[in-house]
Amino acid sequence: MNPYIQQQVENMIDQVDLFAKGCHKAALKDDLTLDVAEQYTIATIERLSDEFIKGLKKIY
């Protein structure tokens, strides 16, 4: 595989992971707990992020 494309794929995987972790921390920031709506939102973000990362990893 083209090493430049591979590097971009790896960068995107890192960014998506960072995004999901940042969302989780942001949800905790106001009261240090996750209410039901926040739990649902975070779970959805994590599920979709994982699916996207799996797809990216199939590239190389």
Side-chain angles (χ1 to χ4, degrees):
M1 170 184 271
N2 178 322
Y4 298 106
I5 293 174
Q6 183 173 352
Q7 183 63 46
Q8 290 302 314
V9 170
E10 290 171 3
N11 288 342
M12 181 56 69
I13 290 170
D14 291 341
Q15 289 296 318
V16 172
D17 186 50
L18 185 63
F19 167 74
K21 288 177 182 175
C23 288
H24 189 268
K25 284 187 178 186
L28 291 172
K29 189 159 178 104
D30 59 346
D31 59 1
L32 299 178
T33 61
L34 295 176
D35 62 27
V36 174
E38 290 170 332
Q39 287 176 358
Y40 176 79
T41 301
I42 295 301
T44 302
I45 289 170
E46 289 173 349
R47 179 181 53 82
L48 293 173
S49 296
D50 289 343
E51 288 177 19
F52 185 52
I53 289 171
K54 281 183 194 175
L56 289 172
K57 286 182 176 181
K58 288 180 183 178
I59 294 173
Y60 68 97

Short mmCIF file of all heavy atoms in Angstrom, two decimals:
data_model
loop_
_atom_site.label_atom_id
_atom_site.label_comp_id
_atom_site.label_asym_id
_atom_site.label_seq_id
_atom_site.Cartn_x
_atom_site.Cartn_y
_atom_site.Cartn_z
N MET A 1 0.84 -1.18 0.00
CA MET A 1 0.00 0.00 0.00
C MET A 1 0.88 1.24 0.00
O MET A 1 1.97 1.25 0.57
CB MET A 1 -0.90 0.00 1.24
CG MET A 1 -1.62 1.32 1.44
SD MET A 1 -2.59 1.45 2.92
CE MET A 1 -4.11 0.83 2.30
N ASN A 2 0.38 2.26 -0.60
CA ASN A 2 1.05 3.54 -0.63
C ASN A 2 1.28 3.99 0.82
O ASN A 2 0.34 4.10 1.60
CB ASN A 2 0.15 4.54 -1.37
CG ASN A 2 0.71 5.93 -1.44
OD1 ASN A 2 1.30 6.41 -0.49
ND2 ASN A 2 0.49 6.57 -2.56
N PRO A 3 2.52 4.27 1.19
CA PRO A 3 2.80 4.61 2.59
C PRO A 3 2.13 5.91 3.04
O PRO A 3 1.81 6.07 4.21
CB PRO A 3 4.32 4.72 2.65
CG PRO A 3 4.75 4.90 1.24
CD PRO A 3 3.73 4.24 0.38
N TYR A 4 1.88 6.83 2.10
CA TYR A 4 1.23 8.09 2.47
C TYR A 4 -0.25 7.84 2.79
O TYR A 4 -0.78 8.42 3.74
CB TYR A 4 1.37 9.11 1.34
CG TYR A 4 2.82 9.45 1.06
CD1 TYR A 4 3.45 8.96 -0.07
CD2 TYR A 4 3.55 10.23 1.95
CE1 TYR A 4 4.79 9.25 -0.32
CE2 TYR A 4 4.88 10.52 1.71
CZ TYR A 4 5.49 10.04 0.57
OH TYR A 4 6.80 10.32 0.34
N ILE A 5 -0.88 6.99 2.02
CA ILE A 5 -2.27 6.65 2.31
C ILE A 5 -2.36 5.88 3.63
O ILE A 5 -3.23 6.15 4.46
CB ILE A 5 -2.89 5.82 1.16
CG1 ILE A 5 -3.01 6.68 -0.09
CG2 ILE A 5 -4.27 5.27 1.57
CD1 ILE A 5 -3.49 5.94 -1.32
N GLN A 6 -1.44 4.96 3.84
CA GLN A 6 -1.44 4.20 5.08
C GLN A 6 -1.28 5.14 6.28
O GLN A 6 -1.97 4.98 7.29
CB GLN A 6 -0.32 3.17 5.09
CG GLN A 6 -0.33 2.32 6.35
CD GLN A 6 0.67 1.18 6.31
OE1 GLN A 6 1.28 0.92 5.28
NE2 GLN A 6 0.83 0.51 7.42
N GLN A 7 -0.42 6.10 6.17
CA GLN A 7 -0.24 7.07 7.27
C GLN A 7 -1.51 7.86 7.51
O GLN A 7 -1.88 8.12 8.66
CB GLN A 7 0.93 8.01 6.97
CG GLN A 7 1.22 8.97 8.08
CD GLN A 7 1.65 8.27 9.37
OE1 GLN A 7 2.47 7.38 9.34
NE2 GLN A 7 1.07 8.67 10.48
N GLN A 8 -2.20 8.25 6.44
CA GLN A 8 -3.44 9.01 6.60
C GLN A 8 -4.53 8.15 7.26
O GLN A 8 -5.31 8.64 8.08
CB GLN A 8 -3.92 9.54 5.25
CG GLN A 8 -3.06 10.65 4.70
CD GLN A 8 -2.96 11.82 5.66
OE1 GLN A 8 -3.94 12.29 6.20
NE2 GLN A 8 -1.73 12.30 5.87
N VAL A 9 -4.58 6.88 6.90
CA VAL A 9 -5.54 5.96 7.52
C VAL A 9 -5.24 5.83 9.01
O VAL A 9 -6.14 5.90 9.85
CB VAL A 9 -5.53 4.59 6.81
CG1 VAL A 9 -6.34 3.56 7.60
CG2 VAL A 9 -6.07 4.71 5.40
N GLU A 10 -3.98 5.67 9.35
CA GLU A 10 -3.59 5.55 10.75
C GLU A 10 -3.91 6.84 11.51
O GLU A 10 -4.37 6.79 12.66
CB GLU A 10 -2.11 5.21 10.86
CG GLU A 10 -1.79 3.81 10.40
CD GLU A 10 -0.30 3.52 10.29
OE1 GLU A 10 0.52 4.40 10.63
OE2 GLU A 10 0.04 2.40 9.86
N ASN A 11 -3.68 7.98 10.89
CA ASN A 11 -4.02 9.26 11.51
C ASN A 11 -5.52 9.37 11.77
O ASN A 11 -5.94 9.85 12.82
CB ASN A 11 -3.56 10.43 10.65
CG ASN A 11 -2.06 10.62 10.64
OD1 ASN A 11 -1.36 10.11 11.50
ND2 ASN A 11 -1.56 11.33 9.64
N MET A 12 -6.32 8.94 10.81
CA MET A 12 -7.77 9.00 10.96
C MET A 12 -8.23 8.09 12.10
O MET A 12 -9.11 8.47 12.89
CB MET A 12 -8.47 8.63 9.66
CG MET A 12 -9.99 8.71 9.75
SD MET A 12 -10.64 10.32 10.26
CE MET A 12 -10.24 11.29 8.83
N ILE A 13 -7.65 6.92 12.21
CA ILE A 13 -8.00 6.00 13.30
C ILE A 13 -7.70 6.68 14.65
O ILE A 13 -8.54 6.65 15.57
CB ILE A 13 -7.25 4.67 13.16
CG1 ILE A 13 -7.81 3.90 11.97
CG2 ILE A 13 -7.33 3.85 14.44
CD1 ILE A 13 -7.00 2.68 11.56
N ASP A 14 -6.55 7.31 14.75
CA ASP A 14 -6.19 8.01 15.99
C ASP A 14 -7.16 9.15 16.28
O ASP A 14 -7.57 9.36 17.43
CB ASP A 14 -4.76 8.55 15.91
CG ASP A 14 -3.71 7.45 15.93
OD1 ASP A 14 -4.03 6.32 16.35
OD2 ASP A 14 -2.57 7.73 15.51
N GLN A 15 -7.53 9.89 15.25
CA GLN A 15 -8.45 11.02 15.44
C GLN A 15 -9.84 10.57 15.87
O GLN A 15 -10.46 11.19 16.74
CB GLN A 15 -8.55 11.85 14.14
CG GLN A 15 -7.32 12.64 13.84
CD GLN A 15 -7.04 13.70 14.88
OE1 GLN A 15 -7.94 14.38 15.36
NE2 GLN A 15 -5.78 13.85 15.25
N VAL A 16 -10.33 9.50 15.27
CA VAL A 16 -11.65 8.99 15.65
C VAL A 16 -11.64 8.49 17.09
O VAL A 16 -12.57 8.76 17.86
CB VAL A 16 -12.10 7.87 14.67
CG1 VAL A 16 -13.37 7.19 15.16
CG2 VAL A 16 -12.33 8.46 13.28
N ASP A 17 -10.57 7.81 17.47
CA ASP A 17 -10.45 7.33 18.85
C ASP A 17 -10.40 8.52 19.82
O ASP A 17 -11.09 8.52 20.85
CB ASP A 17 -9.20 6.47 18.98
CG ASP A 17 -9.08 5.82 20.33
OD1 ASP A 17 -10.07 5.21 20.80
OD2 ASP A 17 -8.00 5.90 20.95
N LEU A 18 -9.64 9.52 19.48
CA LEU A 18 -9.54 10.72 20.31
C LEU A 18 -10.89 11.43 20.41
O LEU A 18 -11.28 11.91 21.48
CB LEU A 18 -8.48 11.66 19.74
CG LEU A 18 -8.16 12.90 20.54
CD1 LEU A 18 -7.57 12.53 21.90
CD2 LEU A 18 -7.17 13.76 19.77
N PHE A 19 -11.63 11.49 19.31
CA PHE A 19 -12.96 12.11 19.30
C PHE A 19 -13.90 11.39 20.26
O PHE A 19 -14.58 12.04 21.07
CB PHE A 19 -13.53 12.08 17.87
CG PHE A 19 -14.99 12.41 17.80
CD1 PHE A 19 -15.43 13.70 17.97
CD2 PHE A 19 -15.92 11.41 17.56
CE1 PHE A 19 -16.78 14.01 17.91
CE2 PHE A 19 -17.27 11.70 17.49
CZ PHE A 19 -17.71 13.01 17.68
N ALA A 20 -13.94 10.07 20.20
CA ALA A 20 -14.84 9.30 21.07
C ALA A 20 -14.47 9.50 22.54
O ALA A 20 -15.35 9.70 23.39
CB ALA A 20 -14.79 7.82 20.70
N LYS A 21 -13.19 9.47 22.85
CA LYS A 21 -12.75 9.68 24.23
C LYS A 21 -13.06 11.11 24.69
O LYS A 21 -13.45 11.33 25.84
CB LYS A 21 -11.26 9.40 24.36
CG LYS A 21 -10.94 7.92 24.27
CD LYS A 21 -9.45 7.66 24.32
CE LYS A 21 -9.18 6.17 24.18
NZ LYS A 21 -7.75 5.88 24.11
N GLY A 22 -12.89 12.07 23.81
CA GLY A 22 -13.20 13.46 24.14
C GLY A 22 -14.67 13.67 24.42
O GLY A 22 -15.04 14.42 25.33
N CYS A 23 -15.52 13.01 23.66
CA CYS A 23 -16.97 13.12 23.89
C CYS A 23 -17.33 12.54 25.25
O CYS A 23 -18.17 13.10 25.96
CB CYS A 23 -17.74 12.40 22.78
SG CYS A 23 -17.71 13.27 21.21
N HIS A 24 -16.72 11.43 25.60
CA HIS A 24 -16.99 10.82 26.91
C HIS A 24 -16.57 11.77 28.04
O HIS A 24 -17.33 11.98 28.99
CB HIS A 24 -16.27 9.48 27.03
CG HIS A 24 -16.67 8.71 28.23
ND1 HIS A 24 -15.99 8.80 29.41
CD2 HIS A 24 -17.68 7.84 28.45
CE1 HIS A 24 -16.56 8.03 30.31
NE2 HIS A 24 -17.59 7.42 29.75
N LYS A 25 -15.41 12.35 27.92
CA LYS A 25 -14.94 13.30 28.94
C LYS A 25 -15.84 14.53 28.99
O LYS A 25 -16.11 15.06 30.06
CB LYS A 25 -13.50 13.70 28.68
CG LYS A 25 -12.50 12.65 29.06
CD LYS A 25 -11.09 13.17 28.94
CE LYS A 25 -10.14 12.09 29.38
NZ LYS A 25 -8.76 12.56 29.44
N ALA A 26 -16.28 15.00 27.84
CA ALA A 26 -17.15 16.18 27.80
C ALA A 26 -18.49 15.90 28.49
O ALA A 26 -19.03 16.76 29.17
CB ALA A 26 -17.39 16.60 26.35
N ALA A 27 -19.01 14.69 28.32
CA ALA A 27 -20.27 14.34 28.96
C ALA A 27 -20.12 14.29 30.48
O ALA A 27 -21.07 14.60 31.21
CB ALA A 27 -20.76 13.00 28.44
N LEU A 28 -18.95 13.95 30.96
CA LEU A 28 -18.71 13.89 32.41
C LEU A 28 -18.38 15.25 33.02
O LEU A 28 -18.46 15.42 34.24
CB LEU A 28 -17.55 12.93 32.70
CG LEU A 28 -17.79 11.45 32.45
CD1 LEU A 28 -16.49 10.68 32.62
CD2 LEU A 28 -18.85 10.92 33.39
N LYS A 29 -18.02 16.20 32.19
CA LYS A 29 -17.48 17.46 32.69
C LYS A 29 -18.43 18.24 33.60
O LYS A 29 -18.01 18.81 34.59
CB LYS A 29 -17.07 18.35 31.53
CG LYS A 29 -16.31 19.57 31.97
CD LYS A 29 -15.50 20.12 30.84
CE LYS A 29 -14.79 21.36 31.28
NZ LYS A 29 -13.40 21.17 31.52
N ASP A 30 -19.71 18.25 33.32
CA ASP A 30 -20.61 19.10 34.09
C ASP A 30 -20.95 18.57 35.48
O ASP A 30 -21.01 19.32 36.44
CB ASP A 30 -21.89 19.42 33.32
CG ASP A 30 -22.69 18.20 32.94
OD1 ASP A 30 -22.15 17.08 33.02
OD2 ASP A 30 -23.85 18.35 32.54
N ASP A 31 -21.15 17.25 35.61
CA ASP A 31 -21.55 16.73 36.92
C ASP A 31 -20.88 15.40 37.30
O ASP A 31 -21.28 14.75 38.26
CB ASP A 31 -23.06 16.57 36.99
CG ASP A 31 -23.61 15.63 35.93
OD1 ASP A 31 -22.82 15.09 35.14
OD2 ASP A 31 -24.84 15.45 35.88
N LEU A 32 -19.88 14.99 36.54
CA LEU A 32 -19.11 13.76 36.78
C LEU A 32 -19.93 12.48 36.70
O LEU A 32 -19.49 11.43 37.17
CB LEU A 32 -18.37 13.84 38.13
CG LEU A 32 -17.36 14.96 38.27
CD1 LEU A 32 -16.74 14.95 39.66
CD2 LEU A 32 -16.29 14.88 37.21
N THR A 33 -21.12 12.55 36.14
CA THR A 33 -21.94 11.36 35.91
C THR A 33 -22.54 11.43 34.52
O THR A 33 -22.60 12.49 33.90
CB THR A 33 -23.09 11.24 36.93
OG1 THR A 33 -23.96 12.37 36.80
CG2 THR A 33 -22.58 11.16 38.36
N LEU A 34 -22.98 10.27 34.04
CA LEU A 34 -23.66 10.21 32.75
C LEU A 34 -25.13 9.92 33.00
O LEU A 34 -25.46 8.90 33.59
CB LEU A 34 -23.06 9.09 31.88
CG LEU A 34 -21.62 9.23 31.43
CD1 LEU A 34 -21.19 7.99 30.66
CD2 LEU A 34 -21.44 10.46 30.59
N ASP A 35 -26.01 10.82 32.55
CA ASP A 35 -27.42 10.51 32.67
C ASP A 35 -27.81 9.59 31.51
O ASP A 35 -26.98 9.24 30.67
CB ASP A 35 -28.28 11.78 32.71
CG ASP A 35 -28.18 12.63 31.45
OD1 ASP A 35 -27.89 12.09 30.37
OD2 ASP A 35 -28.40 13.86 31.55
N VAL A 36 -29.05 9.18 31.45
CA VAL A 36 -29.49 8.20 30.45
C VAL A 36 -29.27 8.71 29.04
O VAL A 36 -28.79 7.98 28.16
CB VAL A 36 -30.97 7.82 30.69
CG1 VAL A 36 -31.48 6.92 29.59
CG2 VAL A 36 -31.14 7.15 32.04
N ALA A 37 -29.60 9.97 28.80
CA ALA A 37 -29.43 10.53 27.45
C ALA A 37 -27.95 10.56 27.07
O ALA A 37 -27.59 10.24 25.93
CB ALA A 37 -30.04 11.92 27.38
N GLU A 38 -27.10 10.94 28.00
CA GLU A 38 -25.67 10.98 27.72
C GLU A 38 -25.13 9.57 27.49
O GLU A 38 -24.29 9.37 26.60
CB GLU A 38 -24.93 11.65 28.88
CG GLU A 38 -25.18 13.14 28.99
CD GLU A 38 -24.63 13.74 30.26
OE1 GLU A 38 -24.53 13.04 31.28
OE2 GLU A 38 -24.32 14.95 30.23
N GLN A 39 -25.58 8.62 28.27
CA GLN A 39 -25.14 7.23 28.09
C GLN A 39 -25.50 6.74 26.69
O GLN A 39 -24.68 6.11 26.02
CB GLN A 39 -25.78 6.32 29.13
CG GLN A 39 -25.23 6.48 30.51
CD GLN A 39 -25.97 5.63 31.53
OE1 GLN A 39 -26.93 4.94 31.21
NE2 GLN A 39 -25.53 5.70 32.77
N TYR A 40 -26.71 7.04 26.25
CA TYR A 40 -27.14 6.63 24.92
C TYR A 40 -26.28 7.29 23.84
O TYR A 40 -25.82 6.62 22.91
CB TYR A 40 -28.62 6.98 24.71
CG TYR A 40 -29.10 6.66 23.32
CD1 TYR A 40 -29.42 5.35 22.97
CD2 TYR A 40 -29.24 7.65 22.36
CE1 TYR A 40 -29.85 5.04 21.69
CE2 TYR A 40 -29.67 7.36 21.09
CZ TYR A 40 -29.98 6.05 20.75
OH TYR A 40 -30.39 5.75 19.48
N THR A 41 -26.07 8.58 23.99
CA THR A 41 -25.27 9.31 23.00
C THR A 41 -23.84 8.79 22.95
O THR A 41 -23.31 8.54 21.85
CB THR A 41 -25.27 10.81 23.33
OG1 THR A 41 -26.62 11.28 23.34
CG2 THR A 41 -24.46 11.60 22.32
N ILE A 42 -23.22 8.60 24.10
CA ILE A 42 -21.84 8.11 24.14
C ILE A 42 -21.76 6.70 23.57
O ILE A 42 -20.84 6.38 22.82
CB ILE A 42 -21.29 8.17 25.58
CG1 ILE A 42 -21.20 9.63 26.06
CG2 ILE A 42 -19.93 7.48 25.68
CD1 ILE A 42 -20.32 10.53 25.22
N ALA A 43 -22.72 5.85 23.92
CA ALA A 43 -22.73 4.48 23.39
C ALA A 43 -22.85 4.49 21.87
O ALA A 43 -22.18 3.71 21.18
CB ALA A 43 -23.85 3.67 24.01
N THR A 44 -23.68 5.37 21.35
CA THR A 44 -23.84 5.48 19.89
C THR A 44 -22.55 5.97 19.24
O THR A 44 -22.12 5.43 18.22
CB THR A 44 -25.01 6.43 19.55
OG1 THR A 44 -26.20 5.93 20.16
CG2 THR A 44 -25.21 6.52 18.04
N ILE A 45 -21.94 6.98 19.81
CA ILE A 45 -20.68 7.50 19.28
C ILE A 45 -19.62 6.41 19.29
O ILE A 45 -18.89 6.22 18.30
CB ILE A 45 -20.21 8.74 20.07
CG1 ILE A 45 -21.12 9.93 19.77
CG2 ILE A 45 -18.75 9.08 19.77
CD1 ILE A 45 -20.91 11.12 20.67
N GLU A 46 -19.51 5.68 20.39
CA GLU A 46 -18.50 4.63 20.48
C GLU A 46 -18.77 3.50 19.48
O GLU A 46 -17.84 3.00 18.85
CB GLU A 46 -18.45 4.08 21.91
CG GLU A 46 -17.84 5.06 22.88
CD GLU A 46 -17.91 4.62 24.33
OE1 GLU A 46 -18.63 3.64 24.64
OE2 GLU A 46 -17.25 5.27 25.17
N ARG A 47 -20.04 3.12 19.33
CA ARG A 47 -20.38 2.05 18.38
C ARG A 47 -20.04 2.46 16.95
O ARG A 47 -19.40 1.70 16.20
CB ARG A 47 -21.86 1.69 18.49
CG ARG A 47 -22.30 0.59 17.53
CD ARG A 47 -23.79 0.28 17.67
NE ARG A 47 -24.65 1.45 17.57
CZ ARG A 47 -25.04 1.99 16.42
NH1 ARG A 47 -24.65 1.49 15.27
NH2 ARG A 47 -25.85 3.04 16.42
N LEU A 48 -20.45 3.66 16.57
CA LEU A 48 -20.18 4.12 15.21
C LEU A 48 -18.69 4.35 14.96
O LEU A 48 -18.19 4.07 13.87
CB LEU A 48 -20.98 5.40 14.92
CG LEU A 48 -22.49 5.22 14.87
CD1 LEU A 48 -23.18 6.58 14.77
CD2 LEU A 48 -22.90 4.31 13.73
N SER A 49 -18.00 4.84 15.97
CA SER A 49 -16.55 5.02 15.85
C SER A 49 -15.85 3.68 15.65
O SER A 49 -14.96 3.55 14.80
CB SER A 49 -15.99 5.71 17.09
OG SER A 49 -16.51 7.01 17.21
N ASP A 50 -16.26 2.68 16.43
CA ASP A 50 -15.68 1.34 16.29
C ASP A 50 -15.93 0.77 14.89
O ASP A 50 -15.03 0.17 14.29
CB ASP A 50 -16.23 0.39 17.34
CG ASP A 50 -15.72 0.69 18.74
OD1 ASP A 50 -14.70 1.42 18.85
OD2 ASP A 50 -16.32 0.20 19.71
N GLU A 51 -17.14 0.97 14.37
CA GLU A 51 -17.46 0.48 13.02
C GLU A 51 -16.59 1.16 11.98
O GLU A 51 -16.08 0.52 11.06
CB GLU A 51 -18.93 0.71 12.70
CG GLU A 51 -19.89 -0.19 13.44
CD GLU A 51 -21.34 0.12 13.15
OE1 GLU A 51 -21.63 0.78 12.12
OE2 GLU A 51 -22.19 -0.28 13.96
N PHE A 52 -16.42 2.47 12.12
CA PHE A 52 -15.60 3.23 11.18
C PHE A 52 -14.14 2.77 11.24
O PHE A 52 -13.50 2.56 10.21
CB PHE A 52 -15.73 4.72 11.48
CG PHE A 52 -15.02 5.62 10.50
CD1 PHE A 52 -15.22 5.49 9.13
CD2 PHE A 52 -14.16 6.60 10.95
CE1 PHE A 52 -14.57 6.33 8.23
CE2 PHE A 52 -13.51 7.44 10.06
CZ PHE A 52 -13.72 7.30 8.70
N ILE A 53 -13.64 2.59 12.44
CA ILE A 53 -12.25 2.14 12.61
C ILE A 53 -12.06 0.75 12.01
O ILE A 53 -11.05 0.48 11.35
CB ILE A 53 -11.84 2.20 14.09
CG1 ILE A 53 -11.68 3.65 14.52
CG2 ILE A 53 -10.55 1.42 14.34
CD1 ILE A 53 -11.48 3.85 16.01
N LYS A 54 -13.02 -0.15 12.23
CA LYS A 54 -12.93 -1.50 11.63
C LYS A 54 -12.85 -1.40 10.11
O LYS A 54 -12.06 -2.11 9.47
CB LYS A 54 -14.14 -2.35 12.01
CG LYS A 54 -14.07 -2.93 13.39
CD LYS A 54 -15.29 -3.82 13.62
CE LYS A 54 -15.45 -4.15 15.08
NZ LYS A 54 -16.69 -4.91 15.33
N GLY A 55 -13.66 -0.52 9.54
CA GLY A 55 -13.63 -0.33 8.08
C GLY A 55 -12.30 0.20 7.61
O GLY A 55 -11.75 -0.25 6.59
N LEU A 56 -11.75 1.16 8.35
CA LEU A 56 -10.45 1.71 7.97
C LEU A 56 -9.35 0.66 8.08
O LEU A 56 -8.45 0.61 7.23
CB LEU A 56 -10.11 2.91 8.86
CG LEU A 56 -10.92 4.19 8.62
CD1 LEU A 56 -10.60 5.20 9.71
CD2 LEU A 56 -10.63 4.76 7.25
N LYS A 57 -9.42 -0.19 9.08
CA LYS A 57 -8.38 -1.20 9.25
C LYS A 57 -8.42 -2.26 8.16
O LYS A 57 -7.41 -2.91 7.90
CB LYS A 57 -8.50 -1.86 10.63
CG LYS A 57 -8.03 -0.96 11.74
CD LYS A 57 -8.10 -1.62 13.09
CE LYS A 57 -7.54 -0.72 14.17
NZ LYS A 57 -7.56 -1.35 15.49
N LYS A 58 -9.55 -2.42 7.49
CA LYS A 58 -9.65 -3.37 6.38
C LYS A 58 -8.85 -2.89 5.17
O LYS A 58 -8.49 -3.68 4.31
CB LYS A 58 -11.11 -3.57 5.98
CG LYS A 58 -11.90 -4.37 6.99
CD LYS A 58 -13.32 -4.51 6.52
CE LYS A 58 -14.16 -5.25 7.55
NZ LYS A 58 -15.57 -5.36 7.13
N ILE A 59 -8.57 -1.61 5.13
CA ILE A 59 -7.85 -1.04 3.99
C ILE A 59 -6.42 -1.55 3.93
O ILE A 59 -5.87 -1.76 2.86
CB ILE A 59 -7.89 0.50 4.04
CG1 ILE A 59 -9.33 0.99 3.85
CG2 ILE A 59 -6.98 1.11 3.01
CD1 ILE A 59 -9.51 2.46 4.06
N TYR A 60 -5.81 -1.76 5.07
CA TYR A 60 -4.41 -2.21 5.06
C TYR A 60 -4.18 -3.41 5.90
O TYR A 60 -4.90 -4.05 6.48
CB TYR A 60 -3.45 -1.09 5.47
CG TYR A 60 -3.53 -0.63 6.87
CD1 TYR A 60 -2.65 -1.12 7.83
CD2 TYR A 60 -4.45 0.32 7.28
CE1 TYR A 60 -2.71 -0.68 9.15
CE2 TYR A 60 -4.51 0.77 8.57
CZ TYR A 60 -3.64 0.27 9.51
OH TYR A 60 -3.70 0.71 10.80
#
